[in-house]
Amino acid sequence: MQILLLLLTILGGMGLSVEAGLLGPLGKEVGELWATFSIFGVGAALTFLLMLFFSPRNSPSFFTLPSWQLLGGVLGPAYVIILTITTPIIGIAMTMIGILAGQVSKSLIIDHYGLLGTPHRKVDRKRVVALIFIVVALILVAKA
């Protein structure tokens, strides 16, 4: 089961690279904010349809959730705007490796301290070495 989830995650990452490739030209055509809005508009419509047919009807209200849990609604558009601006300038590979370096470094901190309601997972030497490899990849791709 874990290998299947890992493969699904890799496919999701591949999708983000395609999204970054689509956002650059779209941002040049209509502007970065309109490109971001269009991506989220299509995503919201698709999510609504999925919820309509596949989501349980007794889901909790947004108003009953802690407000910090909805922070992703702010972080998502910021991420897409960053992709839209950076991808045409530094390329998809640099953008994705930079995003990955940021994700892994922050994820190690979140795991180590068990922040945001996640289980505590101590940062060990292997995880730090993995982050170093990602930073080295970023440097190597930047010099190419």
Side-chain angles (χ1 to χ4, degrees), residues 32 100 130:
E32 289 87 5
L100 181 62

Side-chain angles (χ1 to χ4, degrees), residues 68 106-123:
W68 66 268
K106 190 60 163 188
S107 297
L108 289 176
I109 293 168
I110 292 169
D111 276 353
H112 184 75
Y113 293 105
L115 302 174
L116 306 174
T118 63
H120 171 79
R121 291 180 177 91
K122 193 165 177 75
V123 174

